[in-house]
Amino acid sequence: MTMKLSRAIAIALPASSRALHSSAFVHPSRASARVFRRNMSGETTQTPDGAAKNLVVDPFCFRQFAESDKSEGYAGTVFNISIEQFEAIVNSRYRASDLKDGYAPFCKHLFLENDFTDARVNVLPITPENEPCLRTRYEARNEKELPVLARYFDRESLLKGKKEEDVFPVAKYVDLILYSREQIEKENAAMGKGEPVEKETAPWGIVSIKAQDVDRELPMTPITAMRNALGKDQGGSGVELVREDYMEAVNYWKDHANVL
């Protein structure tokens, strides 16, 4: 089976995690599967050593982990490392002083050196050579969202006759996009999602993970900014669109595209 772009495999762990996890991905055992189910239900709020978590992978981001059924058919970065392992690593590296402001007060970014996965970049500059590989389609990230028109590179077209490493370099950084617990609860309520069995208490939820070559925020795609300006009941965050930020995004994305 052809491996999906950026199927990220753990290749190194921080010292605090080595005693708990193997450096190579191993399919979950029954015991680890039970831990995973607790993560999926939002009940686990501690790291394996019992310390309180600052970060948890939000269910919206489960599609980026191979152990979740939600990853099937997802064309973005998908990690073979387990959610439990990923959370252990990023929590061990979490420093509140490293958080960077996002597009709204409830959104933060945490940039980490990508020395624990082999995730490859999934944004490329548009060139005369790869422009024929651009595609468009209407898409929604879940059944509650309003579909919007997206432009992207078709991965298989880019790889035709080429090796993956020749087209997609391994990312130097991962950008963890964080939403506050309060914002996540507001959006879940607006989308009609029920309360979890046990309420999550970690202050930050990881809603998306980007593999990239710079330790700064890439501009949000213009269509995502427009969707976010919609009401929460349409899958947006209700944040007003700022023209200056929107034009900055246009200036970047007119020359770049995501790979799907």
Side-chain angles (χ1 to χ4, degrees):
M1 180 182 296
T2 302
M3 182 170 287
K4 200 182 286 185
L5 167 64
S6 300
R7 287 261 173 193
I9 302 173
I11 56 175
L13 295 173
S16 61
S17 299
R18 288 185 190 132
L20 298 172
H21 306 295
S22 168
S23 62
F25 174 73
V26 179
H27 286 289
S29 65
R30 290 183 179 180
S32 63
R34 287 197 293 271
V35 173
F36 173 60
R37 283 195 291 273
R38 290 200 294 272
N39 285 338
M40 293 282 282
S41 67
E43 295 177 20
T44 301
T45 58
Q46 293 183 327
T47 57
D49 61 3
K53 289 182 180 180
N54 289 293
L55 310 171
V56 293
V57 176
D58 186 76
F60 182 79
C61 194
F62 287 168
R63 62 184 182 164
Q64 292 195 244
F65 290 86
E67 65 181 346
S68 171
D69 291 341
K70 295 181 179 180
S71 68
E72 293 301 321
Y74 180 64
T77 303
V78 175
F79 297 88
N80 277 338
I81 185 174
S82 71
I83 291 176
E84 182 188 8
Q85 288 176 312
F86 191 89
E87 287 182 345
I89 295 169
V90 299
N91 274 284
S92 73
R93 300 184 182 190
Y94 173 84
R95 301 290 183 274
S97 58
D98 291 337
L99 296 180
K100 306 298 181 184
D101 290 341
Y103 75 101
F106 58 76
C107 178
K108 300 292 183 182
H109 293 259
L110 180 61
F111 300 95
L112 299 177
E113 185 178 352
N114 182 36
D115 59 358
F116 60 100
T117 82
D118 64 357
R120 298 182 182 274
V121 298
N122 63 349
V123 174
L124 296 176
I126 299 171
T127 67
E129 291 74 27
N130 62 27
E131 190 170 15
C133 300
L134 285 171
R135 304 287 186 270
T136 59
R137 71 183 183 193
Y138 282 94
E139 65 177 15
R141 295 171 296 184
N142 58 56
E143 68 278 3
K144 299 282 188 178
E145 283 191 345
L146 198 68
V148 296
L149 185 65
R151 182 183 69 167
Y152 63 96
F153 282 118
D154 178 70
R155 177 178 180 271
E156 291 190 4
S157 297
L158 288 171
L159 285 174
K160 193 172 183 179
K162 299 177 182 178
K163 295 181 180 179
E164 186 176 60
E165 56 267 28
D166 294 333
V167 180
F168 310 113
V170 173
K172 297 176 182 177
Y173 300 93
V174 288
D175 173 12
L176 308 185
I177 301 175
L178 314 176
Y179 271 23
S180 70
R181 180 59 43 204
E182 180 184 12
Q183 178 66 18
I184 290 173
E185 291 175 355
K186 286 180 179 179
E187 293 191 16
N188 286 344
M191 300 284 278
K193 296 180 179 178
E195 289 288 330
V197 175
E198 185 172 329
K199 188 174 182 179
E200 180 59 72
T201 59
W204 298 104
I206 302 170
V207 298
S208 185
I209 308 165
K210 294 182 178 179
Q212 56 190 56
D213 276 345
V214 294
D215 59 347
R216 64 179 185 274
E217 180 185 5
L218 295 179
M220 185 182 298
T221 59
I223 197 64
T224 300
M226 294 185 73
R227 176 160 47 193
N228 279 341
L230 299 174
K232 298 183 182 69
D233 60 336
Q234 298 296 334
S237 55
V239 174
E240 182 179 356
L241 190 147
V242 178
R243 182 178 178 84
E244 291 77 11
D245 294 343
Y246 182 84
M247 294 308 298
E248 178 185 352
V250 169
N251 188 54
Y252 177 83
W253 287 103
K254 66 181 177 64
D255 298 322
H256 296 79
N258 285 304
V259 179
L260 299 178

